[in-house]
Amino acid sequence: KIRLIEKQTTRPLIWEINTNFKVNSNVMFASVTELQGIVLSVMIIKYSGKESSLAGVTSFLTENHIRWNEVKL
């Protein structure tokens, strides 16, 4: 699950991850809303690919201060 706030919501995040880490993504759920003038987006994305690539995705999210957590399906 990925949470994006304000300026993060306009970043082409899924494209960046797919391109840079050679993984496939499937958006399972997405919601965008505005709360008190602040844009908030929550997405559940299923990534598939090599273990090393998936580890790179989690590092990328953390390094870019993007809030995320793993959801077991």
Side-chain angles (χ1 to χ4, degrees):
K1 178 166 67 171
I2 296 174
R3 291 177 221 141
L4 305 172
I5 299 174
E6 297 184 42
K7 292 181 181 179
Q8 293 175 332
T9 61
T10 60
R11 185 175 180 175
L13 185 65
I14 297 171
W15 177 86
E16 280 184 67
I17 290 171
N18 290 349
T19 302
N20 293 333
F21 298 99
K22 307 295 186 228
V23 295
N24 295 312
S25 62
N26 185 8
V27 177
M28 308 297 284
F29 170 83
S31 175
V32 179
T33 191
E34 186 175 334
L35 299 170
Q36 298 178 342
I38 297 172
V39 178
L40 170 67
S41 176
V42 176
M43 295 182 283
I44 296 177
I45 304 172
K46 181 178 181 182
Y47 285 104
S48 58
K50 295 180 181 179
E51 284 296 321
S52 59
S53 296
L54 296 174
V57 171
T58 59
S59 295
F60 172 82
L61 293 171
T62 301
E63 290 166 7
N64 284 275
H65 308 287
I66 296 168
R67 293 180 61 193
W68 69 275
N69 63 297
E70 186 174 354
V71 176
K72 300 284 184 180
L73 298 176

